[in-house]
Amino acid sequence: MRFPATPAISVALAFAMAVSLIAGSSFPASGQGAKYKQDKKGGLTKLPPAPEPDIGPPPRTPFTADESLKATIPGIPGARIFADSETDFLKLVPPAPGPWLVLSGGGEDGAYGAGVISGWTETGKRPEFSVVTGVSTGALMAPFAFIGPALDANLRQNFTAISSIDVFSFGGTDEALFDNWPLRRTIEKRTTPELVAAIAAEHKRGRRLFVVTTHLDIGRGVLWDIGAIASQGGEKASKLIADILLASSAIPGIFPPILIETEVNGRKIQEMHADGTITAPFYAGPRTLYSLSNKVPIPASELYVIINNKLNSGFETPDRMAALVLGRALTLALRFGLRTELLRVHEKAKATALPFGVAFVASDFNFPFNGAFDTKYMTALFDRGVANIKAGKAFLKDPPGLEP
């Protein structure tokens, strides 16, 4: 059976509780000394060495809500804003409207968005986006989509060849049911000095790359200006960008949160950040900007939203088990939240005559799914994205009826 991926991988909690039912031994072993995993044919595949287990996380340095509001990244004061601040957001975006690309969460279903973007290049009609935003799995593809067609091969590699062994290990930490040290290694390996320098160069041209995390301490989304960070250069910038990408895809309780060091009143504190989809299934700007009563126009010339997921909830009869019932309920809750957010953005675009397009995984895509980050499933989904954009049917001007 499969728990459908959602913008925040909404069934992740049920997925964790029922993991032995879903995939048995197909998940990687934990860092607690395990060296192999069993493949589908019964053979053994050697795992990369895991970090040495910690005795436990050290206590956090106390700080107040007021200090959290004032904290900044040492040496990079313009690295971020709160994602719900309309005033600060409008100061960050380019002054001249251009096409925006908005990438949602969705776990392995990010393969669809990667396919759409890659196929878009093949059509010869892919815009150079003035703004690219990413949340969760969308954050992981955003840097490559931002740089442009030169990195399409990286998109394909990241969303068709990656497997569960590259994302998480089975066995938890004090902070989560799973350990995502493999994903950290994957992200750090791909956040190369060349990639960081390319992002900085595009930032200098006036383009913007944003990623959203959720600040668990203060309970608000944080919008990170990745180009501003990249412009600082060096190992510090690369590490911070990798931490942000990891945090944006860290589902609380499932994967460990990421502690990001900030500075306030002359002292260092560590903020706790996690999956961006907790506060935004996708990010096209603060919600206040999309109120029909707000007369401020969206500062874009075109708005493209890629939903790395299906929009409808489909029909499913979960067995009478707590994990499966909870998984179904969470799927429904977050799927409805996604659709509500999409309708809000679409209505504002329509009211202001802003060209709008939304792409999403069609409800008729039912390729067999054999466990988390199944490469055959992801490749089929990537190919569907390529085919749809080349056939001119990936983006719809109006969302569908959004029936359940």
Side-chain angles (χ1 to χ4, degrees):
M1 76 185 68
R2 181 194 176 212
F3 289 117
T6 72
I9 317 182
S10 64
V11 293
L13 180 59
F15 162 75
M17 291 188 293
V19 63
S20 61
L21 295 175
I22 302 171
S25 59
S26 66
F27 289 96
S30 75
Q32 307 296 320
K35 301 298 183 183
Y36 297 87
K37 76 179 182 79
Q38 189 174 22
D39 60 30
K40 294 178 182 178
K41 296 181 179 180
L44 294 178
T45 301
K46 189 174 182 180
L47 293 173
E52 291 297 321
D54 294 325
I55 296 174
R60 299 179 65 197
T61 301
F63 56 91
T64 67
D66 184 62
E67 287 177 317
S68 186
L69 288 171
K70 298 176 180 177
T72 60
I73 299 296
I76 319 177
R80 69 199 190 152
I81 63 170
F82 284 110
D84 54 11
S85 173
E86 182 179 325
T87 301
D88 290 341
F89 176 75
L90 292 175
K91 292 177 182 177
L92 279 187
V93 297
W100 289 12
L101 178 64
V102 175
L103 303 169
S104 85
E108 57 272 299
D109 282 4
Y112 182 73
V116 169
I117 294 168
S118 298
W120 211 342
T121 299
E122 295 181 35
T123 68
K125 299 178 181 179
R126 175 177 166 181
E128 180 180 72
F129 301 104
S130 64
V131 172
V132 175
T133 76
V135 177
S136 197
T137 200
L140 299 181
M141 73 174 70
F144 305 99
F146 178 72
I147 296 303
L151 295 185
D152 282 358
N154 298 72
L155 276 177
R156 173 180 282 275
Q157 172 73 16
N158 292 349
F159 285 92
T160 62
I162 195 172
S163 65
S164 57
I165 194 175
D166 303 304
V167 179
F168 62 91
S169 63
F170 182 50
T173 69
D174 291 327
E175 301 170 299
L177 297 172
F178 293 89
D179 195 339
N180 58 353
W181 65 263
L183 181 58
R184 174 178 284 282
R185 285 189 175 181
T186 300
I187 291 173
E188 290 176 346
K189 181 179 179 181
R190 294 172 183 176
T191 309
T192 63
E194 293 77 15
L195 177 62
V196 173
I199 292 171
E202 294 305 312
H203 181 82
K204 187 176 181 180
R205 291 181 58 217
R207 301 175 64 221
R208 295 294 179 261
L209 171 61
F210 300 132
V211 167
V212 177
T213 65
T214 297
H215 190 328
L216 292 180
D217 298 311
I218 204 166
R220 296 170 71 180
V222 172
L223 186 70
W224 297 88
D225 188 342
I226 303 301
I229 298 169
S231 296
Q232 299 299 310
E235 185 176 341
K236 179 181 177 181
S238 296
K239 182 182 183 306
L240 179 56
I241 292 171
D243 283 346
I244 292 165
L245 297 179
L246 186 63
S248 187
S249 54
I251 308 161
I254 306 303
F255 299 137
I258 304 304
L259 297 179
I260 296 179
E261 186 173 87
T262 59
E263 189 173 68
V264 61
N265 298 330
R267 70 190 188 100
K268 302 288 179 63
I269 63 174
Q270 288 187 317
E271 301 173 351
M272 186 175 285
H273 288 256
D275 199 301
T277 55
I278 300 168
T279 49
F282 58 86
Y283 187 82
R287 287 186 174 92
T288 57
L289 187 61
Y290 289 88
S291 169
L292 293 181
S293 63
N294 188 339
K295 301 307 179 184
V296 176
I298 302 167
S301 62
E302 304 164 70
L303 181 59
Y304 297 96
V305 180
I306 296 181
I307 304 297
N308 293 300
N309 218 310
K310 295 180 178 179
L311 287 178
N312 66 344
S313 301
F315 176 77
E316 183 178 331
T317 55
D319 293 334
R320 297 171 63 179
M321 299 175 60
L324 304 183
V325 173
L326 177 59
R328 177 60 173 170
L330 288 173
T331 296
L332 294 174
L334 289 195
R335 195 66 60 81
F336 273 91
L338 166 65
R339 287 149 55 170
T340 299
E341 191 80 0
L342 180 60
L343 284 174
R344 182 202 310 271
V345 172
H346 171 258
E347 286 301 308
K348 179 62 179 276
K350 186 176 181 180
T352 57
L354 173 65
F356 175 87
V358 58
F360 54 91
V361 181
S363 58
D364 66 354
F365 182 81
N366 293 306
F367 191 89
F369 183 87
N370 294 307
F373 298 95
D374 172 11
T375 54
K376 290 183 178 179
Y377 169 87
M378 294 168 70
T379 298
L381 191 52
F382 180 95
D383 291 342
R384 172 68 73 93
V386 171
N388 281 355
I389 189 72
K390 291 174 73 173
K393 60 181 183 180
F395 286 101
L396 300 181
K397 293 182 179 180
D398 298 294
L402 301 181
E403 64 280 355

